[in-house]
Amino acid sequence: MSNSCSSVCTSADGRWDTKIKLHTVTYIWRIENFSFHEAIGDDLKSPTFSGIDDKETKWYLLLKPSFSEAEKNCIALYVYLSSQAEVFVKFSICLLDQAQQEVPSSRRTTVKIRKLIFPSNLADNSWGFSQFHEKNEYFTNNLLVDDTLTFKFVMTYSTRDAVDSLHHKCINTPLYPSVPECNLSHHFGLLLEDHRLSDVVLSVNGEEYPAHKLVLTARSPVFAAMFDHNVKENEENRVYIDDMDGKVVSEMLRFIYTGKCENLRELATGLLAAADKYDLDRLKMICANELYENLSVENAASILALADMHGVKELKTEVIKFITGNPTEVLGTEGWKSVRSNFELADEVSLAIARREMPNN
């Protein structure tokens, strides 16, 4: 909160600002072997959780069997306050599908601000939905993945005493009340576009991309090593790149100068290779996230090969998990034929599938 006062209090001795402190919690609850829970029919309680900035206030979720005939084909889900507190809470709950995308419930599950009290009776310290989601065909085929159900719970809450007040003393008003945002990336982008003072050229299959050694050196350890030594590229002020498309090199330069990418969906595969070659760790992570978010049966094999080739362990692990959940579909694609020639990688996937299919796993 700023210590400077606005014009509304220039005629007074000062101003008090009051702010209600809020806490935000995001919690993922995965329930494996869900069909056994249905068969047993008992309440199923999540582990107790709390927010990062508030460890005192604790919560849990409860999955309950349906008690009435009208509710027997629905999931019943409730939120409980389990610690000594009185809170005012707003939350939403949804299910995640097999691609970990949010799927709205078949009932309204975004709750407006409500007071919860503990200890008290059930009506006061919990809130939930006796018909959270219908157990229909879509639920079985898209949400119940390998007999595992995943909930995402997002909550914002405040306690009654969570109030901050700040006194502003109107001694001096700022010389510049509103300082403009930093335009560093914009200015570097203009520098790249108009080629002012460029001192090196990236040559890609006959196309030339002027750049600046200083910028490339600051952003990439590979370029830094190249320009710090008497190598051919440094002496000729020209870097030949014969293993990348011009569009990829152009977008890589945009990222180096501005930290941004505009054509990530189209160029994520090529940019991942470029990021690996020139040691651009942040770009590598951005590309890996893009590929993971668009993972499908059709492209799983090719993304796996990329992750393995460029050493993106986290992406490789998640793709193998995806393949083990869809082995018949992925192993029947054209992309898998190229993976089979990499015997070590193919064996790693085959072993993961075998472990998944073994009893007690």
Side-chain angles (χ1 to χ4, degrees):
M1 190 178 295
S2 171
N3 285 317
S4 60
C5 292
S6 64
S7 58
V8 297
C9 62
T10 54
S11 60
D13 292 332
R15 185 186 82 223
W16 283 93
D17 286 353
T18 299
K19 179 181 179 180
I20 308 299
K21 292 190 292 186
L22 299 179
H23 304 283
T24 300
V25 177
T26 298
Y27 183 70
I28 304 295
W29 186 25
R30 296 178 72 249
I31 302 174
E32 299 182 1
N33 303 319
F34 177 77
S35 58
F36 283 85
H37 163 68
E38 287 191 300
I40 296 171
D42 292 337
D43 291 355
L44 191 61
K45 179 181 175 182
S46 77
T48 302
F49 58 91
S50 60
I52 296 176
D53 58 347
D54 177 24
K55 299 298 183 182
E56 300 299 321
T57 309
K58 301 185 182 300
W59 310 82
Y60 65 89
L61 303 178
L62 195 69
L63 190 65
K64 300 175 67 68
S66 300
F67 297 107
S68 69
E69 186 68 21
E71 299 169 353
K72 69 178 183 179
N73 289 322
C74 294
I75 298 173
L77 186 67
Y78 294 86
V79 180
Y80 279 79
L81 175 65
S82 66
S83 58
Q84 184 75 33
E86 177 183 82
V87 302
F88 298 82
V89 59
K90 178 170 64 175
F91 66 84
S92 66
I93 308 177
C94 67
L95 288 164
L96 302 182
D97 62 16
Q98 58 184 351
Q100 297 301 292
Q101 299 297 312
E102 296 182 9
V103 177
S105 168
S106 54
R107 304 292 186 269
R108 182 181 67 83
T109 56
T110 299
V111 175
K112 296 181 178 180
I113 297 175
R114 176 180 172 83
K115 181 170 72 172
L116 298 182
I117 303 173
F118 181 91
S120 187
N121 58 43
L122 181 65
D124 287 332
N125 77 325
S126 73
W127 185 253
F129 315 94
S130 60
Q131 300 180 49
F132 176 75
H133 201 292
E134 186 178 357
K135 291 183 281 189
N136 50 23
E137 183 177 352
Y138 178 82
F139 174 86
T140 303
N141 295 336
N142 295 276
L143 303 180
L144 193 57
V145 183
D146 296 326
D147 205 21
T148 297
L149 202 60
T150 305
F151 295 95
K152 182 176 181 180
F153 174 64
V154 180
M155 170 179 62
T156 301
Y157 70 91
S158 180
T159 58
R160 181 178 292 277
D161 59 350
V163 178
D164 272 347
S165 292
L166 179 64
H167 183 218
H168 297 263
K169 295 182 178 180
C170 298
I171 300 173
N172 293 311
T173 57
L175 180 62
Y176 299 106
S178 179
V179 178
E181 294 292 326
C182 176
N183 290 322
L184 185 63
S185 64
H186 172 69
H187 292 149
F188 269 80
L190 295 177
L191 183 67
L192 174 65
E193 290 176 4
D194 65 20
H195 310 152
R196 280 181 295 174
L197 303 179
S198 62
D199 54 2
V200 67
V201 171
L202 306 189
S203 181
V204 186
N205 301 320
E207 298 180 10
E208 295 189 343
Y209 298 89
H212 305 79
K213 289 183 181 180
L214 186 63
V215 178
L216 299 182
T217 296
R219 298 282 279 159
S220 164
V222 175
F223 282 123
M226 187 183 298
F227 300 137
D228 279 345
H229 297 84
N230 294 324
V231 296
K232 178 181 178 181
E233 291 84 355
N234 194 24
E235 293 175 354
E236 296 183 358
N237 296 323
R238 182 175 294 271
V239 179
Y240 292 94
I241 302 176
D242 56 9
D243 57 352
M244 294 182 194
D245 181 82
K247 290 183 179 179
V248 171
V249 173
S250 177
E251 199 63 34
M252 178 185 72
L253 284 174
R254 186 199 309 277
F255 175 82
I256 287 175
Y257 277 72
T258 69
K260 301 175 183 177
C261 291
E262 293 185 358
N263 301 304
L264 190 59
R265 180 177 290 271
E266 175 189 354
L267 301 175
T269 298
L271 283 172
L272 179 63
D276 186 33
K277 179 177 180 178
Y278 292 105
D279 203 4
L280 302 167
D281 288 341
R282 182 169 178 268
L283 179 59
K284 195 172 181 179
M285 294 172 66
I286 291 172
C287 292
N289 275 336
E290 178 69 19
L291 292 170
Y292 177 65
E293 289 176 3
N294 292 281
L295 182 63
S296 68
V297 167
E298 291 74 19
N299 64 22
S302 60
I303 293 178
L304 174 64
L306 276 172
D308 182 64
M309 179 185 303
H310 299 297
V312 191
K313 295 180 180 179
E314 298 82 0
L315 178 61
K316 179 181 175 181
T317 298
E318 292 304 317
V319 176
I320 290 178
K321 285 182 184 178
F322 177 83
I323 294 175
T324 59
N326 306 272
T328 303
E329 295 87 346
V330 175
L331 271 58
T333 61
E334 288 294 318
W336 180 252
K337 294 180 180 179
S338 61
V339 173
R340 285 189 305 186
S341 61
N342 185 337
F343 300 115
E344 185 176 343
L345 182 58
D347 286 347
E348 189 174 350
V349 174
S350 299
L351 182 60
I353 295 173
R355 287 173 175 168
R356 177 71 175 262
E357 294 177 348
M358 287 176 61
N360 301 322
N361 274 339

